[in-house]
Amino acid sequence: MTRTTPPRPVDIEEDFPALAGHRRTATRLHPRHGVPGVGDSSVAGPLLWPADEPWPVCTAVHPKGTGHRLSDVRLRRRIQDDARGRDFTEDEQRLLDAMKAADHVPDLRDDDALPMLAVAQLSAWDIPDLVGPEGHDLLQVFWCPFEAHGPDRTIDVVLKWRRSADVGTVLTPQPEPPVAGREECVPTMCVVHPEQVVEHEYLGLLDEGLQEEIPAWEEGLLDEDGDDDYEEGPPSAASYATYEEYEAAMAAARAEEPEEIDYMSDLSIAPGWKVGGFASWHLTDPAPVDCQVCGTAMPPLLTVDKWECDGASRSWLPLEDRDAADDPRVIDPVGVYLGRGLMRVHTCPADPLHPHRLSFQ
């Protein structure tokens, strides 16, 4: 099934033509649980990886056998999916109780080479905003599922660009680490439903005039949408036979109220896993992310997000999922939570083979 982002509540460029100079496309991936093929764009699916090419490994020194078994993480998620809307059975609860973080592979030394975890495979044929080295049409993303690398003690990401037509015999089975430091470092296997959308730059990076005009415009919208029915305040609960009737009436009234429109939540940057687009700096001040080789500003290539959307960004929920807005398989399909919920992989537009950088929100 395709995924369709609803039209934005307003055409912001009609009110602010200058925003045309701050627009960029992004491809929302809309990952959903599924079984992708080896040549498909996917999250945590099998890779089009040559049988004669070494698999990426982590050689950093850190605990590698202690944590959560990948098999346990996947089984836990299957049990939770199957039990949605009911209590766990005795057998399910017994299995869940047995899943614990522990030293599961005591023979695995801290300095041993550990296979990287396959995180994503993205094809330029499916994803128009995927831009890599000339002639390369496939990006394969890996990370070590332990947040213990470098001075920032964060996750280590590896990017592999390739020409899909050059791949002959595909490696099978494909390696993976036996243990993850945290369950939230392990993505659930998903098919993707790429959809290109238009984004506008983060408010704090716009021209000073726009930074002042847009909030004032938002305030004007709130004034226009003010509820004239309650000039003397909402009706008293005493006017209803029961408090339950009062609550039901108030809930119905709230449901009919126009939704507030917010530039940051509704009109600028799409939530969820995506390729391209702009970076949001909603938790910190904007920070430059420049190439450490040539100094070029590095836009985000891949955004890894905890949510498909949250309460504030609910207007981005695809039309096809409106009836399943409370389903975790829609709102949190991948099960990954890095940093404070969002990680971006930035690449150099001058040369995508220059070392990438990470940013977190």
Side-chain angles (χ1 to χ4, degrees), residues 211-268:
Q211 290 188 42
E212 297 175 353
E213 293 167 8
I214 290 175
W217 172 80
E218 292 172 340
E219 289 293 330
L221 291 179
L222 289 176
D223 293 340
E224 291 175 11
D225 292 337
D227 192 349
D228 296 332
D229 294 336
Y230 293 155
E231 290 181 357
E232 299 179 359
S236 167
S239 61
Y240 292 86
T242 67
Y243 186 76
E244 287 73 17
E245 289 182 8
Y246 168 73
E247 278 291 287
M250 294 301 294
R254 286 192 297 269
E256 293 177 1
E257 291 177 359
E259 293 186 4
E260 295 180 6
I261 298 174
D262 179 80
Y263 176 80
M264 291 294 294
S265 299
D266 303 305
L267 306 174
S268 55

Side-chain angles (χ1 to χ4, degrees), residues 53-179:
E53 186 172 326
W55 189 266
V57 295
C58 175
T59 57
V61 178
H62 62 76
K64 293 175 178 173
T66 301
H68 301 268
R69 290 191 183 97
L70 264 65
S71 56
D72 284 351
V73 174
R74 292 163 180 159
L75 178 57
R76 180 190 299 277
R77 292 176 183 174
R78 287 197 298 271
I79 291 173
Q80 291 170 336
D81 275 352
D82 291 344
R84 180 167 164 74
R86 63 169 174 81
D87 293 335
F88 296 126
T89 67
E90 289 185 8
D91 285 344
E92 288 170 341
Q93 191 62 61
R94 176 178 51 80
L95 289 170
L96 292 171
D97 290 343
M99 298 176 190
K100 300 183 183 299
D103 188 7
H104 293 296
V105 192
D107 293 338
L108 190 60
R109 301 193 311 269
D110 292 357
D111 58 353
D112 283 346
L114 185 73
M116 289 277 198
L117 187 61
V119 172
Q121 177 166 270
L122 306 172
S123 170
W125 299 102
D126 303 324
I127 301 168
D129 290 291
L130 184 69
V131 179
E134 185 176 356
H136 294 69
D137 62 342
L138 197 66
L139 172 65
Q140 294 164 330
V141 182
F142 304 80
W143 63 48
C144 175
F146 290 85
E147 294 170 302
H149 304 87
D152 295 329
R153 305 292 290 174
T154 188
I155 205 154
D156 184 26
V157 176
V158 169
L159 305 182
K160 174 62 181 180
W161 295 96
R162 68 170 69 254
R163 299 176 177 87
S164 58
D166 293 345
V167 179
T169 302
V170 174
L171 178 66
T172 184
Q174 298 187 348
E176 64 178 18
V179 172

Side-chain angles (χ1 to χ4, degrees), residues 205 279 281 284-292 295-300 344 346 357-361:
L205 293 173
W281 299 96
T284 67
D285 290 334
V289 183
D290 298 333
C291 178
Q292 295 174 320
T296 303
M298 302 171 79
R344 293 178 294 253
H346 300 254
R357 297 187 63 185
L358 305 179
S359 65
F360 294 86
Q361 287 290 288

Side-chain angles (χ1 to χ4, degrees), residues 275-308:
V275 171
F278 287 107
S280 172
W281 299 96
H282 51 280
L283 295 182
T284 67
D285 290 334
V289 183
D290 298 333
C291 178
Q292 295 174 320
V293 174
C294 65
T296 303
M298 302 171 79
L301 172 73
L302 174 66
T303 298
V304 172
D305 201 346
K306 177 183 179 181
W307 306 109
E308 172 77 353

